[in-house]
Amino acid sequence: MIANILNKATWWPRAFSPTKSMMCNFGYPKEPNKQFPDGVTEQLAKDFYANMISICVAHALCASPMLPVLIYGWEESSELMKVSFLLGTLADLGYDVYDFIRLSFRTFDTKHEKPTPIDFFIILGLMHHTTGLALIMPLNLHYVDRFEYHQTAVSLLLAASLCFLAGAYKFTLDVYEKRKDFVLYKFIVLFQLGIILYTRVYLWFPATLGLRAYMKEQNDTTFFYSATVMITIFSIFNLVLVVDAVGAAAKWLPRRFPKSKQEKDETAALVRRTSATGMVTPAIQMLRAMETKRKFKAGVKTVIAVNRLSSHASSFSNDKKDD
């Protein structure tokens, strides 16, 4: 439905280019390849943009029924509030299950009409969704009364919703011709940085470390170690978002409104580079660097092996001549 609305949106031509750039930052190809024979088409970009909006709505809907428990605390909340909190967490869990399955089909089904790059699956499916899949049910069963759990769950859901919505709106702005849109774009970059720092650093680390310490006090060693692993994985996910947001702000805030063609081209290049701010670009780049390093090492080993084989063959040939 959202994709159909985009067909009539007057601002979509402006949003297409940064959306395509964001998709490339997520691992989609810049040029056609075997998995994407037509490259990143406009329809594929519309589906991606629509999915981004759907994620925002889903996260906001999951967080809304959880707010009363966060405000009043578990002990002071009514039974309806407590049930609403549990329903919110289960709704988020259900979405993670659905999206993980959807991503798996789109990534590993070679004939899928809307494929997904493996890089995107690793970051969103393995690094992000697995945290909810592994922790929500155990936390609901054993630590549902803990404030740290309430705060972390609500803040991360709302933060993701706000950052994604701001990012989606950011793409509709005309930063090349309208000074007002240019200033608003910079404000959104700063807004995303503030949300990420507040929720994914200021709230996340004290809350998760406090909950982890409480588990240790309860001598719940099994859940303590498993939670430590998942918290560590998601902490890395959060930190790469922080690095990305800080980098985007450092590039955008000093920039002046473009007037010449060269300045507009530089601004367009910056829009492409920072199109996925708040959406794990550094993690994608890290995966690519690791893959490049792995391929380089494999290539070096192959060259060494071939060289040794050639040397051995040459030595064997010389030995035959001597005989």
Side-chain angles (χ1 to χ4, degrees):
M1 184 179 73
I2 299 175
N4 292 332
I5 294 174
L6 295 178
N7 293 327
K8 303 176 182 178
T10 57
W11 47 262
W12 171 249
R14 290 196 299 271
F16 172 58
S17 180
T19 300
K20 183 177 179 179
S21 297
M22 180 174 67
M23 294 172 70
C24 293
N25 287 334
F26 275 132
Y28 286 83
K30 295 181 180 179
E31 302 293 337
N33 60 16
K34 185 177 180 180
Q35 188 181 15
F36 297 87
D38 298 323
V40 177
T41 63
E42 185 172 357
Q43 187 57 49
L44 191 63
K46 287 179 180 178
D47 290 337
F48 188 91
Y49 189 93
N51 185 59
M52 185 166 64
I53 300 297
S54 299
I55 291 173
C56 297
V57 174
H59 279 51
L61 289 176
C62 292
S64 298
M66 301 162 65
L67 283 171
V69 165
L70 175 66
I71 295 171
Y72 293 102
W74 187 259
E75 297 299 330
E76 300 298 322
S77 296
S78 65
E79 291 301 315
L80 178 60
M81 293 178 182
K82 293 177 181 179
V83 171
S84 297
F85 178 85
L86 290 171
L87 287 176
T89 62
L90 293 177
D92 182 54
L93 177 62
Y95 181 82
D96 284 345
V97 171
Y98 153 76
D99 203 46
F100 186 86
I101 294 173
R102 183 184 67 89
L103 285 173
S104 299
F105 276 111
R106 293 182 62 165
T107 303
F108 301 108
D109 182 1
T110 55
K111 297 181 180 179
H112 200 287
E113 61 178 5
K114 297 176 183 177
T116 296
I118 187 66
D119 293 358
F120 190 43
F121 173 78
I122 291 173
I123 295 299
L124 192 60
L126 297 184
M127 288 189 68
H128 181 274
H129 290 341
T130 52
T131 304
L133 294 174
L135 293 181
I136 288 178
M137 285 303 294
L139 285 170
N140 281 350
L141 291 171
H142 300 286
Y143 298 100
V144 72
D145 60 326
R146 297 298 299 178
F147 173 75
E148 299 94 336
Y149 177 35
H150 310 154
Q151 176 181 278
T152 302
V154 174
S155 64
L156 290 183
L157 286 172
L158 290 180
S161 181
L162 289 172
C163 280
F164 272 59
L165 275 177
Y169 176 68
K170 187 172 64 177
F171 292 169
T172 70
L173 301 176
D174 186 358
V175 297
Y176 313 108
E177 303 295 338
K178 298 180 179 179
R179 185 182 296 272
K180 175 183 173 183
D181 284 5
F182 181 80
V183 173
L184 184 55
Y185 195 105
K186 294 172 72 171
F187 174 78
I188 291 174
V189 170
L190 191 61
F191 171 77
Q192 288 178 309
L193 173 61
I195 290 292
I196 288 171
L197 287 175
Y198 179 67
T199 58
R200 299 184 182 274
V201 177
Y202 181 77
L203 295 181
W204 167 261
F205 284 100
T208 53
L209 292 176
L211 184 58
R212 181 176 170 273
Y214 179 76
M215 293 174 187
K216 191 173 182 179
E217 288 178 6
Q218 299 300 306
N219 204 26
D220 188 356
T221 54
T222 302
F223 197 64
F224 170 79
Y225 288 117
S226 60
T228 298
V229 172
M230 300 313 301
I231 288 171
T232 301
I233 292 173
F234 207 80
S235 294
I236 296 172
F237 180 88
N238 286 341
L239 288 175
V240 294
L241 291 181
V242 171
V243 171
D244 188 29
V246 170
K251 292 181 178 71
W252 270 102
L253 294 182
R255 184 165 289 275
R256 296 180 178 179
F257 180 70
K259 296 180 179 179
S260 66
K261 184 179 183 303
Q262 181 181 353
E263 289 176 337
K264 291 180 180 180
D265 290 341
E266 291 174 353
T267 301
L270 182 58
V271 169
R272 289 193 296 271
R273 286 198 304 272
T274 61
S275 58
T277 297
M279 303 175 194
V280 305
T281 305
I284 295 290
Q285 294 171 346
M286 180 178 67
L287 283 175
R288 290 175 185 167
M290 291 170 62
E291 178 67 12
T292 301
K293 186 176 180 182
R294 186 189 66 78
K295 289 180 178 179
F296 176 75
K297 286 184 176 181
V300 170
K301 290 179 180 179
T302 301
V303 171
I304 293 173
V306 170
N307 184 55
R308 287 177 178 174
L309 183 61
S310 299
S311 300
H312 179 73
S314 177
S315 176
F316 180 74
S317 177
N318 292 332
D319 289 342
K320 283 192 71 176
K321 288 179 180 180
D322 292 340
D323 292 342

